[in-house]
Amino acid sequence: MRLILRNVAARLGDDGSLVVAASPDSLARQPWQWDVRLSREPVGQSQDYVGAGIGRHHVCVRVDDAHVSAELLTQTFDDPGTERQTVTIGRPADELWLAVVETGTFRHGHLEVAPGDVLVWEGGDPVGIDITATSDERITVALVILRRTDGQSLRWVP
């Protein structure tokens, strides 16, 4: 599954933060396992969060350590030059990846992606993430990698 949320960072609520993805999306289905939040300000140091908020959009991740582990990192892609070559990143099909675009614009498949957009990849579509720069600005994304602790595939239905 591939999902794009357009310009999410511009829609932060009155409290200055917004959950962009969580599992489950309804607590009536099963117990909470993880969530990813954008915040206007860093959330501060807390054992609940994998990070206090990276990037200009302050991406924050919480997980139930008994079920899910998470990595939170910044990924940068230098401008490939005037030829606009495509960079392909391999993503394991058993992981869920969420990227918040911080700087730069690029094409991913037929999607034009810009700062403030959020991309989510889950399952086998796609396992090869193609990124083609559409401007001269360096592409930077805050990347969240979620995986189940029992080694099974992490699945999510938004």
Side-chain angles (χ1 to χ4, degrees):
M1 172 194 63
R2 177 184 354 202
L3 173 70
I4 185 168
L5 306 168
R6 293 286 184 191
N7 202 15
V8 173
R11 297 191 304 267
L12 296 178
D14 291 338
D15 66 352
S17 70
L18 175 71
V19 173
V20 293
S23 182
D25 59 347
S26 167
L27 291 177
R29 293 187 196 174
Q30 63 187 32
W32 170 86
Q33 293 182 1
W34 59 268
D35 63 64
V36 177
R37 170 182 302 275
L38 300 186
S39 178
R40 284 195 186 108
E41 302 292 332
V43 295
Q45 296 300 325
S46 168
Q47 292 180 347
D48 292 341
Y49 289 93
V50 173
I54 68 167
R56 72 179 197 180
H57 296 113
H58 302 293
V59 181
C60 310
V61 181
R62 291 186 310 158
V63 296
D64 177 348
D65 292 333
H67 300 285
V68 178
S69 67
E71 287 181 65
L72 181 59
L73 52 104
T74 300
Q75 183 74 47
T76 302
F77 305 95
D78 289 324
D79 173 35
T82 56
E83 296 179 23
R84 301 285 186 231
Q85 298 172 356
T86 299
V87 175
T88 302
I89 305 159
R91 180 188 63 81
D94 61 342
E95 296 178 349
L96 183 144
W97 285 19
L98 184 144
V100 179
V101 181
E102 301 282 26
T103 63
T105 59
F106 60 93
R107 190 174 61 252
H108 169 56
H110 66 282
L111 302 172
E112 292 289 331
V113 185
D117 290 346
V118 176
L119 293 155
V120 183
W121 300 280
E122 178 267 348
D125 178 30
V127 291
I129 299 168
D130 294 332
I131 294 176
T132 306
T134 56
S135 73
D136 292 334
E137 188 177 9
R138 171 180 280 173
I139 299 166
T140 306
V141 299
L143 181 63
V144 177
I145 301 172
L146 298 165
R147 61 184 69 84
R148 286 181 48 155
T149 57
D150 63 7
Q152 295 183 27
S153 294
L154 180 63
R155 294 291 176 249
W156 179 61
V157 178

